[in-house]
Amino acid sequence: MRNFKILYAEDDETLAFLTKDNLEQNHYEVIHCSDGKSALKIFEEEEFNICIFDIMMPKMDGFELAEAVRKIDLDVPIIFLSAKTLKEDRIKGLRLGADDYLVKPFSIEELLLKIEIFLKRSQKNIPTAKTIYEVGKYQFDTKNFILFNDDEKVGLTQREAELLKLFLDHKNSVLKREQILTSLWGTDDYFMGRSLDVFISRLRKILANEQGISIENLHGIGFRFSIG
């Protein structure tokens, strides 16, 4: 049975302990943070199937956290848990991209049901793997490692093709350097990092004349493949 991973941000330690314990008893893997800033840092480093955020937290509140998460991932389900009962707060949370809003005190049974519903929905929405992508003037054939159009065909190495597909699957989003290395080689070390730089330089050269396409180097963080 797959263990779905939950990011849970809540500064009330007693409530957090009880909720986390109940979720784990129902076979969920739960990462708990007691403030929004810590939760955002972990979200940037790891992948989660669903997020559960309190609103009133130190360092970064739940609204700010949800807004930051949505800049990284448009699809991960977000549930707010809050003692704030005003309609304006619920509307604000939903407008920021939250999927639901539970008012404290809440029942663990209702929370579990909502988690199950959102996870089923997100699993149904997983698209089938694409094999052909639009990249500027080119079609990108991921199976045969080729960029082509009516007049031109550019062959890629397997690693170059895997890197380009990774960028396209995360277009306009930040990809951490270590995330790319682990995805392509299964490890993050110096020598693979040097190879990555070579592949990125080649992709930049191939796509240099494509307007609206760029591979931005974010120093000390990673890369952003922008297309639009």
Side-chain angles (χ1 to χ4, degrees):
M1 178 178 176
R2 179 181 175 186
N3 281 358
F4 290 101
K5 192 171 181 180
I6 298 174
L7 177 60
Y8 177 34
E10 168 64 69
D11 66 331
D12 183 327
E13 294 298 331
T14 300
L15 176 60
F17 175 82
L18 293 172
T19 304
K20 183 174 185 288
D21 184 60
N22 273 282
L23 293 175
E24 289 175 339
Q25 287 184 37
N26 283 271
H27 310 293
Y28 293 110
E29 179 183 353
V30 182
I31 304 298
H32 169 247
C33 299
S34 57
D35 66 81
K37 192 172 182 180
S38 299
L40 178 59
K41 184 176 186 300
I42 290 177
F43 186 85
E44 291 171 336
E45 295 171 350
E46 302 182 31
E47 292 187 3
F48 293 90
N49 300 104
I50 193 165
C51 297
I52 302 173
F53 298 154
D54 181 33
I55 292 178
M56 301 300 291
M57 292 187 293
K59 299 183 181 179
M60 176 184 285
D61 67 31
F63 289 145
E64 294 171 308
L65 176 57
E67 190 171 15
V69 163
R70 277 290 172 255
K71 291 179 181 178
I72 301 170
D73 190 325
L74 293 173
D75 300 317
V76 64
I78 298 174
I79 299 175
F80 278 130
L81 305 177
S82 179
K84 296 168 75 72
T85 59
L86 292 177
K87 179 178 71 175
E88 289 78 7
D89 292 318
R90 296 172 65 91
I91 292 173
K92 181 177 180 180
L94 296 172
R95 281 180 173 167
L96 286 172
D99 295 273
D100 212 329
Y101 190 115
L102 284 180
V103 176
K104 298 178 181 177
F106 57 89
S107 73
I108 194 66
E109 291 80 10
E110 183 179 8
L111 177 59
L112 287 167
L113 178 59
K114 288 184 179 295
I115 290 172
E116 182 180 348
I117 289 170
F118 287 126
L119 288 176
K120 283 182 178 178
R121 184 183 301 170
S122 63
Q123 291 300 298
K124 287 180 181 178
N125 289 337
I126 293 176
T128 56
K130 289 181 65 175
T131 59
I132 301 292
Y133 290 77
E134 297 280 344
V135 187
K137 67 182 179 183
Y138 294 108
Q139 298 281 312
F140 173 37
D141 181 345
T142 62
K143 286 188 174 181
N144 296 301
F145 316 144
I146 294 172
L147 285 165
F148 67 93
N149 56 33
D150 291 338
D151 305 313
E152 188 179 2
K153 182 182 291 186
V154 180
L156 304 176
T157 67
Q158 181 176 346
R159 292 297 187 203
E160 288 166 351
E162 289 173 348
L163 175 60
L164 180 56
K165 183 178 185 303
L166 186 65
F167 277 141
L168 289 166
D169 286 337
H170 297 82
K171 62 184 178 182
N172 302 320
S173 299
V174 175
L175 272 174
K176 288 181 173 290
R177 189 179 183 87
E178 54 268 28
Q179 182 181 351
I180 298 172
L181 291 171
T182 302
S183 295
L184 266 60
W185 285 282
T187 185
D188 174 7
D189 64 30
Y190 174 80
F191 295 104
M192 295 301 99
R194 299 296 291 172
S195 297
L196 174 61
D197 292 334
V198 172
F199 294 144
I200 286 177
S201 294
R202 175 159 159 76
L203 289 180
R204 281 191 177 122
K205 185 176 180 180
I206 292 170
L207 300 172
N209 295 324
E210 299 303 305
Q211 291 188 351
I213 295 179
S214 66
I215 304 175
E216 181 184 0
N217 184 2
L218 304 172
H219 183 69
I221 301 174
F223 301 89
R224 181 190 288 114
F225 184 90
S226 298
I227 183 169

